[in-house]
Amino acid sequence: MPEKKYLMSLDQGTTSSRAIIFDLKGSIVSTGQVEFTQIYPQPGFVEHDPLEILSSQMTAARTAIINGGILAGEIAAIGISNQRETVVAWRRSTGQPLYNAIVWQCRRGASFCEQLTADGMKDYIKEKTGLIIDSYFSASKIRWLLDNVSEVAQAAADGDVCFGTVDSWLLWNLTGGRTFATDATNASRTMLFDITAMDWDDRLLELAGVSRDALPKVCDSCGFFGMTNEHIFGAEIPITGIAGDQHAAMFGQCCFDEGVAKITYGTGSFILMNVGDQPPVSRSGLLATIGWRINGKTVYALEGSAFNAGSAIKWLRDELHLIESPKQADQWAEEVEDTAGVSFVPAFTGMGAPHWDMYARGGLMGLTRGATNKHIARAVLESIALQCCELVSAMSSDTGVEIKELRVDGGVSNSRFVMQLQSDLLGIPVLRPRCVETTAIGAAMLAGLGCGVYSDIGQLRSVWSLDTRFEPHMGREEAAEKMRVWNKTVQRCAGWAQD
């Protein structure tokens, strides 16, 4: 039997599916990545094809195995991280999807959320789930499917429907339909899960119109989930770790101690702080969520979410055709001294914390004839750091803990311009690790714990190492002025799409 020398992460994201194979010391051995189609049926609606998600993820994994020149039998275990809140509905009897996946960014559940608010459910939902009522979360997407897709409604009536987040969809297919499960982190993002009782909440299930039988079993974030079918990779591989992408990144950043925080700059920006073994209470529009659950013990986190970050750079490239690459945006931003008065808010799909405005839309303001493509590119990059400042400030206000340094990861963390500006605006050091693939490595670490490759969390601390430390240089008055202009622009974008 081959020696077990590797761990593989399936990192299923919003715009691409990736697979990364690590050695047992946490070094990257090989990768595979496949982008997939973004579907926009109408403004504010975002969908993915579940079969394309699956095929792209399998292709990425097989590519990583081939690129690494390794045998599937040498992989000790698989860990899954995934875009959160996105919902897939499929037939239990056949495994065939009943509709496109409704993506976390999608705002089609807004009317259901308005009804929950009108019915006085705000406090109950916050107490039970730690969340704000918003169409961001899975419950509104499930309710929309039941109300608007006859095939889904009929399958639910027949007891033949499965509703799952993307991790459940991948797990079901990897195991040939033998395992219908999720982990506590993904369950905590549905707006249906009691994060204290650690169970689906009956009252919320009734409001969403979904039965328990249609939802996956909720498990710890590491442990045995099942074996992959042998034909998929050429050998059976145990799946022993699952976490939503932001929770996996928090684990991969080794935020094992209370008060340690990270920001992941992916499609959106997400800050999570370890707050220990009790659910936090936010007064600033932040979320209480589950950081991870291991051996039945839950670590909670406080989270702030900004829905668009890297997606704003892609907008510059793919829709405006203003830049050819993210690197060019960085170069242009550094070639001009400022934005020439241009201010940008990337609220393409509403605004998350601390505003929670489903009807906000993006704004590009302050334009004059002196504004150039370089000024616009700089304004877009600055917006990513500015919105994160709001989140960090809210987190410090909620916890009473002054964040003294910030760990960063994700694609945009490769931008020296954004990371330096982030440090300047916050007035604290920003730490970028050697491996910025912290979502993937976090899933691999969980899988390693789940299969016994690692004995405990303490063994994992050595995996994290520093690459670059960004120190603040901007004066506090200048930073405050930038935030003032940002706040003024945000106010102009508020409620834009509301009737």
Side-chain angles (χ1 to χ4, degrees):
M1 181 173 291
E3 181 184 355
K4 304 295 184 182
K5 297 186 291 187
Y6 308 106
L7 295 165
M8 181 162 71
S9 285
L10 304 183
D11 182 8
Q12 204 298 300
T14 307
T15 58
S16 70
S17 296
R18 300 190 304 158
I20 302 182
I21 296 175
F22 297 90
D23 65 23
L24 302 186
K25 293 182 180 179
S27 297
I28 294 176
V29 175
S30 61
T31 66
Q33 181 169 354
V34 180
E35 292 192 358
F36 56 87
T37 308
Q38 306 296 302
I39 303 168
Y40 306 105
Q42 64 186 67
F45 281 36
V46 190
E47 297 177 358
H48 295 154
D49 179 346
L51 294 177
E52 190 179 5
I53 289 176
L54 180 63
S55 64
S56 64
Q57 187 64 77
M58 296 304 99
T59 300
R62 293 183 185 114
T63 300
I65 291 171
I66 292 169
N67 288 347
I70 67 174
L71 300 173
E74 296 176 302
I75 299 172
I78 289 173
I80 297 173
S81 67
N82 58 282
Q83 53 168 312
R84 304 176 302 170
E85 298 95 17
T86 297
V87 168
V88 182
W90 68 95
R91 286 194 185 278
R92 187 183 296 270
S93 57
T94 66
Q96 289 300 303
L98 291 158
Y99 193 77
N100 278 340
I102 301 183
V103 181
W104 59 272
Q105 298 165 309
C106 189
R107 312 315 288 172
R108 74 184 68 191
S111 60
F112 174 64
C113 293
E114 289 175 350
Q115 187 60 54
L116 288 176
T117 301
D119 291 342
M121 292 300 297
K122 178 180 177 180
D123 291 342
Y124 183 87
I125 287 174
K126 186 173 184 180
E127 176 189 351
K128 295 292 183 180
T129 70
L131 307 177
I132 303 291
I133 295 176
D134 193 87
S135 58
Y136 172 30
F137 305 110
S138 309
S140 66
K141 306 175 194 307
I142 292 173
R143 181 58 187 263
W144 187 92
L145 285 166
L146 288 165
D147 288 344
N148 293 276
V149 183
S150 59
E151 292 87 346
V152 173
Q154 187 60 56
D158 294 341
D160 192 30
V161 69
C162 293
F163 292 111
T165 42
V166 172
D167 58 306
S168 296
W169 170 241
L170 293 178
L171 184 60
W172 174 279
N173 284 280
L174 286 166
T175 62
R178 295 189 300 272
T179 304
F180 183 36
T182 188
D183 91 299
T185 68
N186 280 294
S188 74
R189 310 299 297 184
T190 61
M191 211 167 77
L192 297 171
F193 190 72
D194 186 327
I195 63 172
T196 303
M198 289 292 151
D199 195 8
W200 301 115
D201 182 84
D202 288 327
R203 187 176 178 188
L204 296 178
L205 295 184
E206 182 179 358
L207 288 169
V210 60
S211 69
R212 281 175 173 269
D213 292 342
L215 295 173
K217 177 183 177 182
V218 181
C219 304
D220 283 1
S221 305
C222 67
F224 182 72
F225 289 91
M227 302 290 287
T228 65
N229 277 359
E230 183 177 356
H231 71 85
I232 296 176
F233 301 121
E236 289 187 329
I237 306 173
I239 302 164
T240 56
I242 293 179
D245 51 11
Q246 303 311 318
H247 314 263
M250 181 183 173
F251 199 80
Q253 285 277 31
C254 295
C255 298
F256 301 145
D257 302 314
E258 289 186 42
V260 180
K262 69 88 195 175
I263 288 184
T264 297
Y265 303 86
T267 298
S269 293
F270 303 88
I271 177 170
L272 276 79
M273 174 194 280
N274 184 329
V275 295
D277 61 4
Q278 296 297 317
V281 177
S282 174
R283 300 172 303 278
S284 306
L286 302 182
L287 307 175
T289 194
I290 293 173
W292 51 80
R293 193 173 84 188
I294 297 175
N295 295 327
K297 296 182 178 179
T298 303
V299 169
Y300 292 94
L302 193 62
E303 175 176 339
S305 311
F307 296 154
N308 290 279
S311 57
I313 300 174
K314 285 196 171 188
W315 173 71
L316 282 179
R317 184 193 68 185
D318 299 340
E319 276 73 46
L320 295 192
H321 304 290
L322 203 61
I323 58 171
E324 294 182 355
S325 67
K327 185 177 181 180
Q328 185 177 27
D330 255 33
Q331 292 171 343
W332 281 2
E334 291 177 348
E335 288 174 6
V336 290
E337 294 184 0
D338 53 37
T339 66
V342 177
S343 185
F344 178 69
V345 174
F348 300 126
T349 51
M351 297 195 74
H355 306 283
W356 295 110
D357 185 345
M358 295 183 287
Y359 299 103
R361 291 296 180 266
L364 183 64
M365 303 180 192
L367 292 168
T368 64
R369 285 293 301 272
T372 68
N373 50 6
K374 294 181 180 180
H375 295 117
I376 292 172
R378 180 171 177 133
V380 168
L381 294 187
E382 287 195 0
S383 75
I384 296 171
L386 286 160
Q387 65 186 356
C388 288
C389 283
E390 287 188 304
L391 300 177
V392 173
S393 297
M395 193 159 283
S396 294
S397 174
D398 274 345
T399 62
V401 175
E402 182 181 352
I403 297 176
K404 296 182 178 179
E405 63 180 29
L406 193 62
R407 298 186 176 196
V408 297
D409 57 77
V412 181
S413 70
N414 290 307
S415 166
R416 292 190 62 88
F417 175 83
V418 177
M419 293 305 98
Q420 183 58 57
L421 179 63
Q422 193 71 84
S423 176
D424 286 340
L425 292 170
L426 291 171
I428 60 174
V430 165
L431 310 182
R432 186 174 63 195
R434 289 188 185 277
C435 179
V436 297
E437 302 291 355
T438 54
T439 297
I441 200 170
M445 289 159 64
L446 286 167
L449 277 177
C451 73
V453 165
Y454 306 122
S455 57
D456 55 43
I457 281 180
Q459 192 179 351
L460 299 172
R461 292 182 184 272
S462 62
V463 173
W464 193 94
S465 60
L466 180 67
D467 174 60
T468 307
R469 181 184 180 96
F470 297 90
E471 296 282 354
H473 302 303
M474 183 180 290
R476 303 321 301 150
E477 288 186 6
E478 183 180 354
E481 175 59 18
K482 283 186 173 293
M483 288 305 301
R484 186 192 69 79
V485 175
W486 163 261
N487 289 328
K488 183 170 72 171
T489 313
V490 167
Q491 290 170 11
R492 302 295 197 276
C493 297
W496 185 268
Q498 197 161 19
D499 290 337

